[in-house]
């Protein structure tokens, strides 16, 4: 994480923390155009299923965010779910979407 922008590194830390705190499959964090951050973990209820990134985007939108600067998902999966990326792309055409390992290592940037 040492070569990441400090604000992006903060997103990795938030995503790792929410994943660990909730014992979830994934943790995610996003930063809106005003610099506010939102984090969430996987939602797996009988009536509602969201990836962590979808949940973080939903939290941002429900708080009034009109766009995103960056997003991070911490996952053991070898790729970020397409629907997760689409949720981010609804708010930013080219902001980076980082996939990080549980250790905080950046594995991919979309």
């Amino acid at each position: 994480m040492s070569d990441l922008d400090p604000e992006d590194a903060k997103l990795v830390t938030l995503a790792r923390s929410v994943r660990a705190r909730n014992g979830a499959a994934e943790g995610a964090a996003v930063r809106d155009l005003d610099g506010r951050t939102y984090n969430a973990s996987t939602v797996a209820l009988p009536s509602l299923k969201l990836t962590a990134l979808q949940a973080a985007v939903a939290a941002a939108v429900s708080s009034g965010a009109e766009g995103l600067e960056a997003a991070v998902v911490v996952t053991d999966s070898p790729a970020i779910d397409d629907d997760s990326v689409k949720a981010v792309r609804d708010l930013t055409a080219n902001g980076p979407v980082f996939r990080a390992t549980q250790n905080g290592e950046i594995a991919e940037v979309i």
Side-chain angles (χ1 to χ4, degrees), residues 19-68:
R19 180 181 188 229
R21 181 175 58 246
N22 295 341
E26 295 180 340
V30 298
R31 184 176 58 254
D32 73 12
L33 299 176
D34 294 326
R36 295 176 297 190
T37 58
Y38 307 87
N39 62 346
S41 63
T42 308
V43 175
L45 300 173
S47 64
L48 178 64
K49 299 202 184 315
L50 296 173
T51 67
L53 200 46
Q54 288 172 323
V57 169
V61 169
S62 69
S63 295
E66 295 182 9
L68 297 177

Side-chain angles (χ1 to χ4, degrees), residues 7 12 15 17-18 20 23-24 28-29 32 34 46 49 58 72 82 88 105 108:
E7 292 301 313
V12 173
S17 295
V18 72
D32 73 12
D34 294 326
K49 299 202 184 315
V72 169
D82 286 340
V88 172
E105 303 283 329
E108 177 182 25

Side-chain angles (χ1 to χ4, degrees), residues 59-103:
V61 169
S62 69
S63 295
E66 295 182 9
L68 297 177
E69 290 182 351
V72 169
V73 61
V74 174
T75 182
D76 293 331
S77 177
I80 300 173
D81 178 82
D82 286 340
D83 289 334
S84 295
V85 175
K86 287 177 185 176
V88 172
R89 294 295 174 233
D90 285 343
L91 296 178
T92 180
N94 56 9
V97 180
F98 299 94
R99 180 174 57 87
T101 66
Q102 65 181 353
N103 298 329

